[in-house]
Amino acid sequence: MNCFMFPGQPLEGPRLLPDDADFREIAALVRERASLDLASFAWTGPERTDSVKLQVYGVAMSLYRARRLRREGIKAGLIAEHSMGIYAALAASASLPEGEALELAFRIGCAAARMGEREEYAIGCMVGLTHEPLMAIAGNNGVHLANYNTSRHFLLSGERLRMEGAVAEALASGAFSARTFPCDAPLHTPLLAEAADDIRSILSDYRYREPAVPLVNHIDQDCLAAVDLADFMLREMLMPVYWERTYLALRAAGAGRFFEAGAGESLRKYNRWIESQSM
């Protein structure tokens, strides 16, 4: 069974964009629904943050890659999503049209970004430590688990100064790598409760259809129904992404071929690591 995987926000913008009819259609939708010109990577409307720009770009590339897979005759038997990959996954499962999925990602990103106007936040990418010592470091520094990607690859999120302390402690504790990246808001942590009312209001503006392909969520690995989608999208902003257990659940459900629909190959790399640890 084929599984389409939709990754979250890329860490960098485009180097070379595709040039074909599918991409031009997606780029037109991005200009219409999110006021972003992908060719120049600049806003055509009010200026937004770099994080929102990357989020919109990530969804656009996921929509494009999904189109190209379908044109190659590859059909998904399962759909999986990681973090903000949920928006492209909604379009791929026919729960929302592509334009609405782009618009929703843009609006949610803007709502979360307002948190960054009052506080500086950062992501900490931690490689090498296992879950238990990493959680002790997070607790010591007042930051939160955001992504459990593999048994030795995690993202933490929280206030920037606290994150710098967590990175220093992780390196002193034997992490292979520990780096910080600036972000607008501490996605996938309880701190996002500050923006929950705005996000809930945005989510209520859309009518979600039943997924035409089973859509597996990254929290508890259940298949999402239309009635679940708005609640899940709010819940996933407040809780960590659990990719390792999601991948294992997809394999147990019969997925044998995995296609990453997005910018980059982060999920494929995580999958290879997970497989190496389970042998």
Side-chain angles (χ1 to χ4, degrees):
M1 185 192 309
N2 296 329
C3 177
F4 286 10
M5 308 179 296
F6 292 91
Q9 174 186 327
L11 294 177
E12 60 182 12
R15 296 180 181 177
L16 182 64
L17 292 170
D19 184 17
D20 57 37
D22 281 320
F23 185 77
R24 288 191 288 273
E25 287 182 13
I26 296 296
L29 284 174
V30 173
R31 285 192 297 272
E32 176 189 350
R33 298 298 188 118
S35 301
L36 178 64
D37 179 68
L38 290 175
S40 63
F41 212 49
W43 298 109
T44 62
E47 195 72 16
R48 309 291 183 174
T49 68
D50 287 344
S51 289
V52 176
K53 189 182 290 184
L54 288 170
Q55 289 159 6
V56 172
Y57 163 63
V59 175
M61 289 306 300
S62 286
L63 295 175
Y64 171 72
R65 298 296 181 199
R67 280 193 181 199
R68 299 310 299 172
L69 286 168
R70 291 193 295 268
R71 288 200 185 281
E72 294 170 19
I74 301 170
K75 296 182 179 181
L78 286 173
I79 291 175
E81 50 78 33
H82 182 289
S83 184
M84 293 195 78
I86 182 60
Y87 305 108
L90 292 178
S93 66
S95 291
L96 281 182
E98 289 174 327
E100 290 188 13
L102 279 163
E103 180 185 273
L104 178 57
F106 171 65
R107 293 179 66 193
I108 295 290
C110 290
R114 286 194 280 272
M115 290 184 66
E117 297 171 3
R118 297 180 290 277
E119 180 66 67
E120 288 187 70
Y121 295 101
I123 295 167
C125 180
M126 310 293 189
V127 181
L129 297 177
T130 56
H131 181 252
E132 186 173 345
L134 190 71
M135 289 300 90
I137 291 169
N140 291 344
N141 292 277
V143 296
H144 301 268
L145 176 66
N147 287 192
Y148 188 133
N149 292 321
T150 78
S151 61
R152 290 183 181 270
H153 188 291
F154 304 89
L155 296 186
L156 303 180
S157 190
E159 295 175 12
R160 181 182 62 81
L161 292 178
R162 293 177 181 271
M163 188 61 65
E164 290 174 358
V167 164
E169 186 174 346
L171 290 170
S173 300
F176 302 151
S177 172
R179 297 182 295 160
T180 62
F181 298 90
C183 63
D184 293 336
L187 301 180
H188 309 302
T189 78
L191 299 176
L192 251 291
E194 180 180 322
D197 287 345
D198 288 344
I199 292 170
R200 185 181 292 109
S201 176
I202 292 167
L203 291 167
S204 70
D205 288 340
Y206 297 85
R207 181 169 175 256
Y208 307 98
R209 302 176 185 86
E210 289 297 334
V213 180
L215 172 54
V216 179
N217 81 65
H218 66 239
I219 297 176
D220 46 31
Q221 295 70 57
D222 287 341
C223 290
L224 293 165
V227 69
D228 305 321
L229 289 170
D231 286 344
F232 170 75
M233 283 186 281
L234 177 59
R235 183 176 168 227
E236 69 109 13
M237 299 289 278
L238 304 170
M239 295 183 65
V241 176
Y242 292 102
W243 181 253
E244 182 177 68
R245 68 174 70 161
T246 300
Y247 174 71
L248 294 174
L250 294 165
R251 290 297 304 269
R257 299 178 71 202
F258 291 83
F259 299 87
E260 184 162 1
E265 298 185 343
S266 58
L267 298 182
R268 292 176 63 187
K269 292 176 182 177
Y270 300 154
N271 294 353
R272 288 195 293 270
W273 171 264
I274 296 164
E275 288 286 353
S276 73
Q277 296 301 293
S278 61
M279 294 176 63

